[in-house]
Amino acid sequence: MATAPIDSDAHRAPRAVRLPSTGALADRFDRPLRDLRISITDRCNFRCVYCMPRAVFGPDYAFLDREQLLTFDEIERIARIAVGHGVRKLRLTGGEPLLRRGVEDLVARLAAIRTPDGTRLEIAMTTNGSALAVKAQALKDAGLDRLTVSIDSLDDELFQRMNDVRFPVARVLDGIDAAHAAGIGPIKLNMVVKRGLNDGEIERMAERFRGTPFTLRFIEYMDVGTSNGWALDDVVPAAEIVERIGARFPLDPIPAAVPGETARRWRYRDGGGQIGVISSVTDTFCGTCNRARISTEGKLFTCLFATEGHDLRALLRGGASDPELAAAMASIWGARDDRYSEERASLTPELRATRQRIEMSYIGG
Ligand code: SAM
Ligand code: SF4
Ligand code: SF4
């Protein structure tokens, strides 16, 4: 499958550009490609214990050099081609995306892309919130629609222990307020729950964000990468989380709004808003998974747990044309048969341990 050549003169100011349709893609299980997550840096100013533990990501850790990262021109080009293939939502992530210099300019370029029928995309970002108080207005002005901010605890001592860089939770809360004041929305808050670490915070977090404009989502601690020492016993099942919150504040389930939704949503019966639970371990959702990920150095991953990516940067820098890039993406998606979360249960701990996995900070969440 090929696109007509795309006018990708990325040095000009962002402008709305229509793409010729290449037709939507379907993988081996008939899943379309809708959501592209782009990791724009592998670096982070936090060392969350479940993601970039200091023992692995210490002073000697070899992060990527600048020339290894995809440039904004390259990211924009991949995004345009992916949109021609059916992508309707772009999410910038990392590492910490707000650390990438000029991130607002990238948001503006991506926000200028139009689907074949002239519709705007949804531009989202996942961030630790540490720089939001400074960056929120610029991100809004650039065209950022949605934001997910990670916040794992309201207890400052525990929050600092989890980010392991002594970053105070109050500054993340200020950043969330700044984003809301700037008009970015919806804003979702992600809490990764690890048993014995922050599961004591579940009810307190629910109570704090009930009745606010923010939707709190509880994420089961996952076995991404190989550095966090994951064990099944560390996972607090989503059902337990819902039961605990429901005992305090009765909840009713909400049906999925769109196919491929990662979170199962619940509404407070008294009108206090809603919560989400992302049960990637105990109740998987591979069947509707329409997400692809681009790593910081331009590899296309068709699953968060993929062992290898497809090197789009080599194609980009090797002089591939837009139709060639589009054809490469189409054939990668067409061959996709990933469903790791569904298979996880059948893997023995030994098999799981020997399977190479990509770090979340490299591939993006
Ligand atoms: N630095 C940004 C942040 O923390 O929001 C973006 C990148 S981070 C890798 C994306 C999301 O992945 C965050 O919400 C983070 O909490 C989540 N995450 C990281 N490691 C995880 C794990 N082992 N299990 C579940 N979620 C994880
Ligand atoms: Fe950084 Fe986000 Fe990973 Fe925490 S979860 S270490 S903030 S990339
Ligand atoms: Fe999608 Fe892979 Fe996660 Fe399944 S395990 S939901 S295929 S990213």
Side-chain angles (χ1 to χ4, degrees):
M1 199 173 298
T3 54
I6 293 166
D7 170 18
S8 72
D9 182 356
H11 300 289
R12 278 193 247 139
R15 69 220 183 289
V17 173
R18 280 173 192 249
L19 286 175
S21 174
T22 54
L25 304 179
D27 71 4
R28 290 216 187 150
F29 296 119
D30 251 350
R31 296 170 295 186
L33 171 61
R34 290 277 179 239
D35 180 336
L36 186 65
R37 303 184 172 201
I38 307 170
S39 173
I40 59 173
T41 175
D42 60 337
R43 292 167 198 255
C44 188
N45 55 337
F46 284 13
R47 285 292 175 275
C48 300
V49 291
Y50 55 77
C51 177
M52 294 179 78
R54 225 171 240 293
V56 178
F57 295 87
D60 298 331
Y61 186 82
F63 289 101
L64 297 170
D65 291 331
R66 195 171 170 73
E67 61 275 13
Q68 294 177 283
L69 311 187
L70 286 187
T71 64
F72 287 177
D73 286 357
E74 289 168 336
I75 292 173
E76 187 188 352
R77 198 167 161 216
I78 290 176
R80 285 184 192 285
I81 292 169
V83 169
H85 277 324
V87 161
R88 295 294 174 261
K89 182 168 164 189
L90 299 173
R91 176 174 295 278
L92 299 182
T93 175
E96 174 45 42
L98 294 179
L99 293 187
R100 179 83 184 253
R101 197 173 308 144
V103 60
E104 318 70 337
D105 301 336
L106 178 61
V107 169
R109 284 172 176 226
L110 300 178
I113 299 175
R114 294 288 176 272
T115 67
D117 65 6
T119 312
R120 211 180 162 276
L121 306 175
E122 219 171 68
I123 311 293
M125 179 181 286
T126 306
T127 170
N128 64 23
S130 58
L132 259 187
V134 179
K135 294 258 185 192
Q137 192 60 54
L139 292 169
K140 172 66 186 171
D141 295 345
L144 187 76
D145 301 300
R146 296 173 160 263
L147 196 60
T148 300
V149 184
S150 303
I151 175 165
D152 298 322
S153 167
L154 289 165
D155 178 283
D156 196 40
E157 190 277 321
L158 176 56
F159 185 76
Q160 296 196 21
R161 194 148 38 92
M162 288 184 77
N163 64 50
D164 208 12
V165 293
R166 315 286 321 151
F167 197 91
V169 70
R171 284 179 57 194
V172 175
L173 292 167
D174 288 347
I176 294 167
D177 288 340
H180 180 60
I184 300 175
I187 298 177
K188 292 180 178 155
L189 309 179
N190 274 1
M191 172 183 177
V192 175
V193 183
K194 185 172 176 197
R195 197 180 294 285
L197 185 61
N198 64 338
D199 57 325
E201 287 280 285
I202 290 172
E203 288 89 344
R204 185 176 171 196
M205 288 278 286
E207 186 165 11
R208 167 66 178 75
F209 293 109
R210 253 168 61 81
T212 68
F214 315 119
T215 302
L216 179 61
R217 306 184 323 159
F218 299 88
I219 306 183
E220 288 180 351
Y221 172 50
M222 286 187 286
D223 48 341
V224 276
T226 41
S227 44
N228 66 10
W230 185 90
L232 189 56
D233 289 349
D234 296 331
V235 179
V236 181
E240 182 181 325
I241 296 172
V242 170
E243 198 181 302
R244 277 174 56 176
I245 297 173
R248 286 273 293 280
F249 310 107
L251 292 165
D252 294 315
I254 306 177
V258 283
E261 214 171 61
T262 45
R264 290 191 199 277
R265 294 179 301 135
W266 297 76
R267 182 184 292 124
Y268 290 113
R269 200 167 291 158
D270 66 2
Q274 48 178 270
I275 58 161
V277 285
I278 303 185
S279 51
S280 349
V281 179
T282 61
D283 182 13
T284 59
F285 38 80
C286 299
T288 55
C289 178
N290 53 21
R291 291 176 294 285
R293 293 175 165 82
I294 302 283
S295 74
T296 316
E297 54 181 340
K299 289 193 176 156
L300 175 63
F301 287 85
T302 54
C303 176
L304 186 51
F305 299 93
T307 48
E308 271 176 44
H310 305 266
D311 194 352
L312 297 185
R313 192 188 64 185
L315 293 176
L316 285 162
R317 297 189 184 173
S321 65
D322 285 337
E324 283 165 346
L325 274 169
M329 269 193 228
S331 92
I332 293 163
W333 192 263
R336 176 185 192 242
D337 62 358
D338 305 285
R339 48 184 206 80
Y340 175 80
S341 286
E342 287 179 359
E343 290 164 347
R344 182 194 282 113
S346 59
L347 294 178
T348 60
E350 294 71 32
L351 263 177
R352 235 189 33 76
T354 53
R355 190 180 151 128
Q356 276 301 310
R357 285 184 306 273
I358 309 300
E359 296 300 332
M360 191 92 157
S361 51
Y362 166 78
I363 193 175

